[in-house]
Amino acid sequence: MLFYGSSYHVNASFECTELPEVRSIKPSRVHPLHTTHSQDFLGLDYTKPTGLLHDAKYGDGIIIGIIDSGIWPESASFSDHGLSPIPSKWKGQCQAGEAFRSNQCNRKIIGARWYDKHLSAEDLKGEYRSARDAHGHGTHVASTAAGTLVPNISFRGLAAGYARGAVPCARLAVYKACWGLGASCHDAGIIKAFDDAIHDGVDVLSLSIGKSGDEFFSSFHAVKNGITVIFAAGNEGPAPRTVTNASPWVITVASATIDRAFPTVITLANGTSSIVGQSLFYQPKDNNNWYEIHHSSPLSVSITSPLGYVSLAVKAAMEAGAKGIIIATYGLDILDFFEKCGAMPCIFVDFDAVGQINSSGDENTTLLVKIAPAHTWVGGEVLAPKISTFSSRGPSPLLPQFLKPDVAAPGSNILAAVKDSYKFQSGTSMACPHVSGVAALLKALHPDWSPAIIKSALVTTASNDRYGLPILANGLPQKIAYPFDYGGGFIDPNKATDPGLAYDVDPKDYDLVVNCESANSSCESIFQNLNLPSIAIPNLTAPTTVLRTVTNVGQTDAVYKAVVQCPPGVQILVEPSVLQFKQGKKKQSFKVTFSMTHKVQGSYLFGSLAWCDGAAHYVRIPIAVRPVVSENYADL
C-alpha cells in the first residue's frame, strides 16, 4: 500500500492507550546495554560478576580475524582505551594504503591486510585501495564480534543505550578480501587471507561471506592449525537446500531474531480500529499528518529472495512519489531495508492487518491513516528467537552427508558500527560474528580446546526452546524449527562453557574427507563416521551403523545414559547405552544403528541423541535421516 499526494489534516486525535484494540504497546524506555541487545539476549551480561564474559576476561588476549570488506578504524567501537598490550603471539602487520595509515592500527585493530592484485578497474570503483571499508559490511561485522563498549548509541532514537561486541576485549585482525559496492569476495583474495591469518596467529576466523555451489576448502588448513573458523549460512531462505559453507570442519551459522521489536501504530481515520506494524519510522516534523491510502498490487517481477522483494518494493514506492509504504509480510525480519526511506514511513504489517485496512477502505471513499513513530520494545513478551525468513536452510546440495547449519545466533535487525555511525543490518552475516565472539570467549576460558571441541560445545548445549515454547522458523508458513533450520539450536554461550562431553575430531580425519572422491564407495563410511556433533544419513536404504566417540571434558568420574528421540518411522539403537568415565578413561566410543520400522520413500525426518548424567549435562546432537526404498523414485 502506498501513500500518495499531499498530507491530509483531520481535526481528530487518538491515543493508543484509549483504543481497546491496542493492548500490547508500551511507552518507549531506555534500557542500558540494549543497543546491540543481541549480546544480552545471549546471556553475555557486561556488568555481571559471573558468567562466560567475566570468566573469560572479556576475551582479552584472543585474536579474531575478520575476512570481509575492511574496517573503518575511526569508529568508536575500535577504541583501544584500557586494553592491555598486543598479544606477544601476534606476527601480523598493519599494511598502509589509501586513506589508511599504518599507525591507524592500535591495541584493538592489531593488524590489517588487503588484497587487490587480482582485481580489475571495475572492481575498484568507489573503493579505497587499502583496508579501509567503503562498503560498511566489514565494519558492522567486526564491531558485532569484538567492538568495545560505546555509550549513547541509537538509530534515530531507537534502541538507545550502549553498543558493544560479543567479546569486547578481543583483538581484531582485518583481511580485506571483499571489494566494490556489492562487496564481492574473490577466491584469490580469500585464499591469501587464510594463509596470512594462519601465519599471523589468529585464534578465530569469522567469514560472513559465501556463495552457492562452492565451498572454501582453504578453511581446512586454518582448522588444522588450531583456528576455529565460523561462516555465515547464507541468505537464500526459507527455501531448502540453500545453505552454503557446509564443510564439516567449520561452524555454519543460521540467523535468528532477538526479543526486541519496533512497534508502529497505524490509526484509521474512521476511529473504529488501529493497527500495529513494525518500522524504523522516527518522529516527523508534523505528527498530525494524515495520509491517504492507495492500494497497490504485488510486484509482478521475478524475485529470488525476500530481501530482493522488499528492496524493490521500497524503490518502486519512492520512484512513484509515494509518501510512504505499508508492506504485508510473513515476517521478513529485515527492517534495515527501510533505512533508505529516511523520514518517509515504511512499515511491515501482517496479512490480518491488511484485511482490516481493506475492509475499512471498502466502507469509505477515501481512507486516511495516521502513522505514529516507532518505539523500542524489549523483553520476554516478544516471542524470540525465531529463525529468520531469509536464513538459508539445509540440507547442503553439495555435502548432504553433513548436517548444516550447525547453530543459530542473532542476525535480524542488529545495530552495529558502519563508518562513523551505527546502523541496523540483517543477515546470516550478522549472526556469524556473534558466534565468532562466543568462540573467542570459549577459547579464552579453555585454551586447550580444539576447534572441534568448541564447535561441539556450541552445538550440544544449544537451545530448542525458550520459556517452554519451541523455537519457530519464519517462512511460508511459520513452523516449529527443525535441524535444517538451526542445526543443534540457538546458541547458549554460558552452557557451552561446561558441555560435559565433547565430540572431538583428529585433524587427520579431515584429510580423508578432503581427499575422498564421491564415486568411491568407501567415502560413505568416511563421511558417516566423521566424529561430528550431528548425524545425517541422506540415503537410508538398509540398516546403517554410525560410529561416534565422546571425550569427557567435565568431572573425572561421570556416568551418562543415552536418551534417544527417534525420527518417525526410524528405529535407533545405541550401543552401549551407558557410558562410564573415570580417571584415565576420558574417551568412550559407541555405535548408533538406524533402521526403518516401515519402508517408505520419504523426505528427511528428524530426531536427536542425547547423553544425560542426571545432573547439569544434557549433551544433545541433532539427527536427520532420509529413508530411500528405491533409487529410481524421488519423493521431493
Side-chain angles (χ1 to χ4, degrees), residues 102-310:
S102 59
N103 63 2
Q104 287 189 289
C105 290
N106 56 17
R107 286 172 296 171
K108 167 59 76 172
I109 305 172
I110 63 174
R113 297 179 185 265
W114 47 286
Y115 313 94
D116 71 338
K117 291 182 172 57
H118 56 286
L119 301 176
S120 66
E122 186 67 25
D123 295 325
L124 293 168
K125 279 187 178 179
E127 266 290 358
Y128 299 97
R129 299 192 74 167
S130 70
R132 181 170 291 278
D133 182 14
H135 185 273
H137 188 273
T139 300
H140 197 282
V141 165
S143 63
T144 300
T148 57
L149 189 70
V150 184
N152 302 319
I153 297 301
S154 73
F155 181 80
R156 297 169 178 163
L158 295 172
Y162 288 75
R164 64 185 171 101
V167 54
C169 289
R171 314 312 167 93
L172 288 165
V174 178
Y175 303 89
K176 183 175 178 179
C178 304
W179 299 79
L181 294 178
S184 298
C185 312
H186 296 256
D187 286 345
I190 295 170
I191 292 171
K192 187 64 170 71
F194 269 113
D195 289 342
D196 285 339
I198 293 169
H199 167 271
D200 293 345
V202 305
D203 299 292
V204 174
L205 264 174
S206 185
L207 294 96
S208 291
I209 60 180
K211 56 184 179 180
S212 299
D214 201 2
E215 293 290 327
F216 295 105
F217 286 105
S218 300
S219 59
F220 164 63
H221 301 290
V223 172
K224 285 186 69 175
N225 280 274
I227 299 170
T228 300
V229 180
I230 297 95
F231 271 102
N235 300 326
E236 301 302 320
R241 295 177 174 83
T242 53
V243 66
T244 60
N245 303 314
S247 299
W249 45 83
V250 306
I251 302 174
T252 308
V253 186
S255 170
T257 65
I258 60 175
D259 62 341
R260 182 174 63 190
F262 302 100
T264 301
V265 177
I266 304 170
T267 304
L268 304 181
N270 59 21
T272 60
S273 61
S274 189
I275 295 164
V276 179
Q278 285 202 59
S279 75
L280 300 179
F281 181 47
Y282 56 94
Q283 184 74 38
K285 294 180 181 178
D286 183 358
N287 197 33
N288 291 318
N289 283 354
W290 291 74
Y291 302 92
E292 180 179 349
I293 287 286
H294 287 251
H295 297 276
S296 175
S297 299
L299 296 170
S300 57
V301 293
S302 175
I303 304 295
T304 58
S305 72
L307 301 174
Y309 177 82
V310 174

Side-chain angles (χ1 to χ4, degrees), residues 325-579:
I325 181 171
I326 298 173
I327 299 179
T329 174
Y330 291 99
L332 299 182
D333 321 306
I334 45 175
L335 286 175
D336 52 290
F337 267 66
F338 286 160
E339 179 197 341
K340 63 186 69 174
C341 295
M344 182 179 83
C346 297
I347 307 159
F348 279 140
V349 298
D350 61 27
F351 283 90
D352 288 340
V354 171
Q356 287 182 257
I357 294 175
N358 288 338
S359 176
S360 299
D362 292 340
E363 299 169 5
N364 300 279
T365 305
T366 300
L367 177 61
L368 303 181
V369 296
K370 182 179 180 180
I371 311 298
H375 295 280
T376 305
W377 185 15
V378 176
E381 297 91 347
V382 180
L383 182 59
K386 292 188 284 187
I387 303 304
S388 308
T389 304
F390 56 77
S391 187
S392 289
R393 293 351 193 229
S396 164
L398 287 180
L399 300 169
Q401 304 89 345
F402 309 119
L403 199 159
K404 291 287 178 172
D406 293 299
V407 289
S412 287
N413 305 320
I414 303 302
L415 187 60
V418 174
K419 296 188 176 180
D420 292 319
S421 62
Y422 290 80
K423 297 182 179 180
F424 289 107
Q425 291 190 13
S426 298
T428 55
S429 286
M430 285 63 251
C432 175
H434 283 92
V435 177
S436 301
V438 173
L441 290 170
L442 293 175
K443 186 67 175 178
L445 191 63
H446 300 286
D448 59 327
W449 278 12
S450 67
I453 291 181
I454 290 175
K455 174 179 176 177
S456 175
L458 289 168
V459 172
T460 61
T461 61
S463 174
N464 292 164
D465 59 40
R466 193 174 182 90
Y467 305 121
L469 301 172
I471 293 176
L472 301 177
N474 283 337
L476 304 173
Q478 189 181 81
K479 63 179 180 65
I480 295 176
Y482 54 56
F484 283 158
D485 300 315
Y486 62 3
F490 188 80
I491 61 168
D492 189 331
N494 288 296
K495 282 188 176 180
T497 63
D498 180 24
L501 303 177
Y503 292 78
D504 199 5
V505 179
D506 186 333
K508 294 179 181 179
D509 292 340
Y510 294 139
D511 285 316
L512 298 175
V513 173
V514 171
N515 296 324
C516 223
E517 298 291 340
S518 57
N520 189 335
S521 59
S522 65
C523 286
E524 184 175 354
S525 175
I526 290 172
F527 291 158
Q528 287 179 352
N529 294 326
L530 187 64
N531 201 43
L532 299 175
S534 61
I535 297 174
I537 303 179
N539 293 287
L540 181 64
T541 57
T544 300
T545 298
V546 173
L547 305 179
R548 288 293 187 271
T549 298
V550 287
T551 302
N552 184 12
V553 294
Q555 294 180 341
T556 302
D557 295 317
V559 177
Y560 285 84
K561 296 181 180 180
V563 179
V564 177
Q565 181 185 356
C566 293
V570 177
Q571 184 182 64
I572 297 178
L573 178 63
V574 180
E575 297 178 299
S577 61
V578 177
L579 302 179

